[in-house]
Amino acid sequence: MDRVVAFGPGRVNLVGEHTDYNDGLCLAFAIDRGVTVTVERRPGETIEAVATDLGEEDHFPAAAPGPSEGWRAFVRGVVAELGASGVPVGGARIELHGDVPLGSGLSSSAALSTALCAALLGLAGRELPEDRRPIARLCSRVENAWVGAKTGLLDQMAVLCSAEGRALRLDCRDLTTELIPLELGAWRLAVADSGEQHENAASGYNDRRRECSQAAARLGVASLRDADAAAVEQLPPPWRQRARHVICDNARVDAAAAALRSGEIAALGPILDDAHRSLRDDFEISTPTVDRLAARLRSEGALGARIVGGGFGGSVLALFGPGTTLPDGCLAVTPSAQTRLLR
Ligand code: GLA
């Protein structure tokens, strides 16, 4: 094939935030917005990449993409990591177009990197492997080594392994997944963008990751997944609060998964509110603007609302009951299909 089009969805994380790099649990789903990548084979060994929404371009040698920043770092990193894993990538034109707002906490980055992987694999005559974990790890290396954000595997696994009408329970200790029906009926989940853009590499994200591994070291456990709740309460701040959030959010994932299994969508409301309090007060990744947005959504009918994604800005996820009009600025999100080739 000389021209391939792939789509990578954004994702919403229902609950389980900043748990992924602590060997913890997450409950996420892909959304119907995302990034579309078109790749066309070109003679020569140069890659021309165009981000149509931004009106920006990049050019680099396919065999040796040097470092760069922003969206260019993702593209170059995927090309380099695919090449290093034995997938031939030669001269090509790459065009990117997305409808997930950048830096809004809906993982435009995993949408981009996984769609580009699928497209470049397609150009090399290959499909995404059945076991998506190696591709998730490859895209995560891109984010860690090329972009400089010490993120975990939640986003890549969520967009690569989701399915329409399901939520994905991800156990980050061994990357096992379970698809659980997410039947919203007349209920709606919606996201609202705070307008405060975040960038994981530049925010306090890497600080939180460091604090979590320090907390684990103080507790003498390999990761906070194994932390004992009573021992955590003996830690000094900020480690006590960071570890407490991780333990409680893991428990919230199991509570939310149980609610979905028994079709009790209403139970998600208090879980979202608890998670927001925990992310605001214990994990300290919310901002006054995001807190005000969550409060506004609650006052306009949301039965629960919380900051989603890496934090320090981004979006709020809220639950609305049957018959409620979505407040201004809300975008309804439904569990949608994973990263795939379109043609
Ligand atoms: C970002 C990271 C993920 C995860 C979330 C927080 O989206 O990419 O790995 O840590 O933040 O849950």
Side-chain angles (χ1 to χ4, degrees), residues 48-273:
E48 175 194 346
V50 185
T52 50
D53 310 306
L54 304 173
E56 293 176 1
E57 290 183 15
D58 193 19
H59 300 262
F60 57 89
S68 192
E69 294 194 341
W71 67 272
R72 293 180 178 86
F74 284 96
V75 172
R76 288 172 177 229
V78 168
V79 169
E81 293 290 339
L82 270 181
S85 73
V87 178
V89 185
R93 180 174 197 276
I94 299 173
E95 197 179 290
L96 314 169
H97 162 65
D99 59 2
V100 193
L102 298 178
S104 64
L106 301 179
S107 197
S108 50
S109 52
L112 163 58
S113 60
T114 61
L116 183 55
C117 267
L120 289 173
L121 281 169
L123 205 62
R126 303 188 192 183
E127 293 188 355
L128 281 172
E130 185 85 2
D131 177 0
R132 299 288 162 92
R133 287 175 296 187
I135 299 294
R137 290 199 181 94
L138 185 151
C139 292
S140 170
R141 281 200 299 279
V142 170
E143 199 144 340
N144 295 170
W146 290 78
V147 182
K150 304 291 170 211
T151 47
L153 279 153
L154 158 66
D155 303 341
Q156 295 79 9
M157 287 296 288
V159 305
L160 284 164
C161 303
S162 281
E164 203 177 326
R166 314 269 153 156
L168 182 86
R169 180 185 183 276
L170 172 65
D171 185 333
C172 296
R173 197 198 283 281
D174 51 11
L175 293 190
T176 48
T177 58
E178 181 194 356
L179 287 167
I180 303 174
L182 172 49
E183 281 151 15
L184 289 169
W187 293 77
R188 266 155 321 154
L189 285 163
V191 288
D193 191 350
S194 70
E196 241 178 354
Q197 278 202 10
H198 81 132
E199 206 179 290
N200 288 328
S203 71
Y205 186 99
N206 291 346
D207 299 333
R208 291 296 176 273
R209 184 157 187 163
R210 195 186 55 250
E211 289 161 356
C212 286
S213 60
Q214 289 168 342
R218 282 173 172 255
L219 293 165
V221 291
S223 75
L224 289 182
R225 176 71 175 272
D226 299 320
D228 172 68
V232 161
E233 292 307 318
Q234 304 307 312
L235 287 173
W239 299 288
R240 182 195 315 151
Q241 290 81 354
R242 306 302 187 244
R244 185 195 287 152
H245 163 75
V246 172
I247 292 183
C248 295
D249 236 26
N250 283 337
R252 279 187 282 269
V253 168
D254 277 334
L260 295 192
R261 285 191 199 96
S262 54
E264 287 170 46
I265 301 295
L268 296 178
I271 294 176
L272 291 177
D273 281 343

Side-chain angles (χ1 to χ4, degrees), residues 251-321:
R252 279 187 282 269
V253 168
D254 277 334
L260 295 192
R261 285 191 199 96
S262 54
E264 287 170 46
I265 301 295
L268 296 178
I271 294 176
L272 291 177
D273 281 343
D274 282 352
H276 186 78
R277 273 191 290 276
S278 179
L279 288 161
R280 181 191 63 199
D281 302 339
D282 282 341
F283 217 67
E284 295 185 273
I285 59 157
S286 193
T287 67
T289 306
V290 172
D291 291 341
R292 274 194 298 277
L293 174 59
R296 172 170 78 80
L297 297 179
R298 281 185 210 108
S299 74
E300 295 183 33
L303 300 170
R306 76 166 188 87
I307 184 169
V308 273
F312 305 96
S315 296
V316 169
L317 171 69
L319 176 73
F320 294 90

